[in-house]
């Protein structure tokens, strides 16, 4: 079916609605819907969080009888299956009497992909797909990875100097980037399900790993601690938050150390090890099994290196301050050992660059090696 000249206009409206719930819908996708009739918007809706009505259901309920003969714009294919909380949307669309449905992207869930569209077309409804598809896929990039692999979408965030340093030789790192960049970093925490750091960050900085923005949501805190050195007084355990704290350690750890942390409210994840360290790929699979769809890594040099080397990182966000640290003894943002050949380096694609306050913010997607 062909698009009409207004399809992109109304689909962009639906995408803006969907984005209002960023970071709030897991493990569901963000979805927006708009009902249009006679060139006028008669209702809107978006999915706010798992367990609540889907976007189509909200928009069609608001439209009521006026939906008959209208066009429904929706950012994701209407679902045709019942999940644990909500009924399918396809029957609601059929009952509403809309004559046309415009969809941005097909449901990436391999178990149901295309089923909703097929049902609508069989019932005589005109269905147009692929309108602003790239924008819709980017909006739900975390959901897409999670629903197809069972693993969370991983963003590696680094704040560094122009010459790639994150601390002086004495360990001073506060603050390399400016306040605007740090605000953006807190926004990243707000939209991700979990935040991950290594034990060295906890021992050195004792961070709370909370969002600290109005209306924000604290992510689940994940501490990678192979030897269970997390202090009982650490803020990630003692500071009040609605978010849980997971301490990921090796499945060979002694029970005595585990019990002390469990007693004060931490949750322990016993993970497989690799060369005496927590296997990060295995850990991501564990987090995915809990319904965690996105993870923000704010680690130190060694965690950053391990995450990249393991292949779990999907996106890199760099905040680069206009300063030069200089010196071989200052701390590089990515540790480990360097490759012998340029061909072994990690490439980034789809780069986006913008100025945030006094700093440069660069986003790019990790090129997966085949």
């Amino acid at each position: 079916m062909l698009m009409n000249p207004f399809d992109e206009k109304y689909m962009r409206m639906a995408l803006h609605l969907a984005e209002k719930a960023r970071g709030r819908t897991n493990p569901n996708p963000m979805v927006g819907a708009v009902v249009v009739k006679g060139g006028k918007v008669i209702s809107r809706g978006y999915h706010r969080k798992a367990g609540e009505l889907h976007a189509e259901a909200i928009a069609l309920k608001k439209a009521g009888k006026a939906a008959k003969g209208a066009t429904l714009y929706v950012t994701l294919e209407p679902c045709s299956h019942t999940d644990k909380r909500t009924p399918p949307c396809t029957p609601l669309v059929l009952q509403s009497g809309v004559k046309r449905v415009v969809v941005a992207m097909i449901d990436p869930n391999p178990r149901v992909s295309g089923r909703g569209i097929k049902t609508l077309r069989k019932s005589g409804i005109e269905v147009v797909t692929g309108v602003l598809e790239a924008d819709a896929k980017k909006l739900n990039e975390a959901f897409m990875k999670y629903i197809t692999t069972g693993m969370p979408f991983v963003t590696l965030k680094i704040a560094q100097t122009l010459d790639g340093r994150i601390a002086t030789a004495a360990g001073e790192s506060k603050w390399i980037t400016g306040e605007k960049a740090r605000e953006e970093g807190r926004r990243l925490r707000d939209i991700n399900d979990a935040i991950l750091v290594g034990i060295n960050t906890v021992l050195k900085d004792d961070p709370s790993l909370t969002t600290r923005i109005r209306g924000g949501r604290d992510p689940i805190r994940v501490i990678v601690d192979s030897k269970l050195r997390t202090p009982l007084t650490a803020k990630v355990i003692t500071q009040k938050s609605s978010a849980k704290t997971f301490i990921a350690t090796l499945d060979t750890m002694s029970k005595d150390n585990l019990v002390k942390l469990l007693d004060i409210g931490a949750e322990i994840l016993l993970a497989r090890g690799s060369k005496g360290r927590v296997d990060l790929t295995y850990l991501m699979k564990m987090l995915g099994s809990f319904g965690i769809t996105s993870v923000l890594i704010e680690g130190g040099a060694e965690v950053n290196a391990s995450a990249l080397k393991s292949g779990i990182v999907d996106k890199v966000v760099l905040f680069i301050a206009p300063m030069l640290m200089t010196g071989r003894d200052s701390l590089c943002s990515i540790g480990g050992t360097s490759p012998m050949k340029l061909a072994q380096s990690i490439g980034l694609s789809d780069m986006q660059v913008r100025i945030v306050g006094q700093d440069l913010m660069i986003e790019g997607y990790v090129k997966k090696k085949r």
Side-chain angles (χ1 to χ4, degrees), residues 318-334:
L318 286 171
F319 293 97
I320 303 176
M323 70 170 73
L324 299 169
M325 187 82 71
T326 76
R328 288 188 297 271
D329 54 351
S330 56
L331 186 60
C332 182
S333 59
I334 300 172

Side-chain angles (χ1 to χ4, degrees), residues 6-22 25 29-35 43-47 55 72-77 102-106 130-141 144:
F6 301 103
D7 284 347
E8 287 195 0
K9 171 187 174 181
Y10 295 121
M11 186 59 74
R12 201 167 297 284
M13 188 182 297
L15 286 166
H16 286 322
L17 285 166
E19 194 167 11
K20 287 184 175 184
R22 186 180 287 277
T25 62
M30 292 171 276
V31 183
V34 177
V35 180
S43 65
R44 302 174 175 87
Y46 68 96
H47 182 49
L72 169 66
Y73 292 87
V74 62
T75 58
L76 182 71
E77 173 186 1
V102 181
V103 178
M105 63 177 283
I106 308 299
V131 178
L132 298 183
E133 182 179 18
D135 293 350
K137 286 182 174 180
K138 183 173 175 61
L139 178 69
N140 275 310
E141 59 192 8
M144 288 181 66

Side-chain angles (χ1 to χ4, degrees), residues 121-329:
R121 284 177 172 158
K122 273 189 172 182
S123 300
I125 294 176
E126 177 187 345
V127 181
V128 177
T129 61
V131 178
L132 298 183
E133 182 179 18
D135 293 350
K137 286 182 174 180
K138 183 173 175 61
L139 178 69
N140 275 310
E141 59 192 8
F143 172 75
M144 288 181 66
K145 182 184 178 184
Y146 171 75
I147 203 67
T148 55
T149 69
M151 294 175 67
F153 184 91
V154 178
T155 300
L156 174 62
K157 176 225 161 186
I158 299 174
Q160 64 176 46
T161 62
L162 273 171
D163 53 346
R165 305 292 161 162
I166 58 173
T168 66
E172 183 183 356
S173 61
K174 295 182 178 180
W175 296 104
I176 286 176
T177 53
E179 177 58 31
K180 292 291 184 182
R182 296 199 296 276
E183 285 179 10
E184 192 69 20
R186 290 192 284 271
R187 185 191 68 81
L188 287 173
R189 291 182 180 184
D190 177 58
I191 64 175
N192 279 274
D193 296 342
I195 180 171
L196 182 148
V197 300
I199 181 58
N200 288 333
T201 296
V202 173
L203 295 175
K204 176 181 172 294
D205 298 332
D206 192 21
S208 60
L209 303 181
T210 53
T211 301
R212 302 190 303 282
I213 57 177
R214 180 176 293 181
R217 178 204 62 165
D218 290 342
I220 293 170
R221 285 83 60 90
V222 182
I223 315 303
V224 180
D225 184 5
S226 301
K227 297 179 181 178
L228 270 189
R229 293 184 292 154
T230 302
L232 301 180
T233 55
K235 289 179 182 176
V236 290
I237 298 174
T238 61
Q239 193 169 82
K240 288 185 178 180
S241 171
S242 58
K244 297 178 180 180
T245 296
F246 291 154
I247 299 178
T249 192
L250 298 178
D251 53 14
T252 55
M253 261 313 111
S254 79
K255 290 184 178 180
D256 290 341
N257 291 344
L258 296 175
V259 169
K260 291 178 182 178
L261 288 164
L262 289 169
D263 284 346
I264 59 171
E267 297 194 25
I268 307 296
L269 303 181
L270 298 178
R272 284 204 304 246
S274 176
K275 296 181 180 179
R277 295 183 176 183
V278 169
D279 184 320
L280 293 180
T281 301
Y282 182 81
L283 176 58
M284 291 304 113
K285 290 178 181 177
M286 290 183 73
L287 296 179
S289 71
F290 301 149
I292 293 173
T293 65
S294 58
V295 174
L296 177 68
I297 297 179
E298 286 191 15
E302 297 308 314
V303 167
N304 294 346
S306 296
L308 287 167
K309 188 176 181 180
S310 70
I312 64 169
V313 178
D314 298 290
K315 180 193 283 188
V316 176
V317 177
L318 286 171
F319 293 97
I320 303 176
M323 70 170 73
L324 299 169
M325 187 82 71
T326 76
R328 288 188 297 271
D329 54 351

Side-chain angles (χ1 to χ4, degrees), residues 56-73:
E56 307 96 307
I58 294 171
L60 291 171
K61 184 177 181 180
K62 287 180 179 178
K65 293 180 180 180
K68 188 173 182 179
T71 296
L72 169 66
Y73 292 87

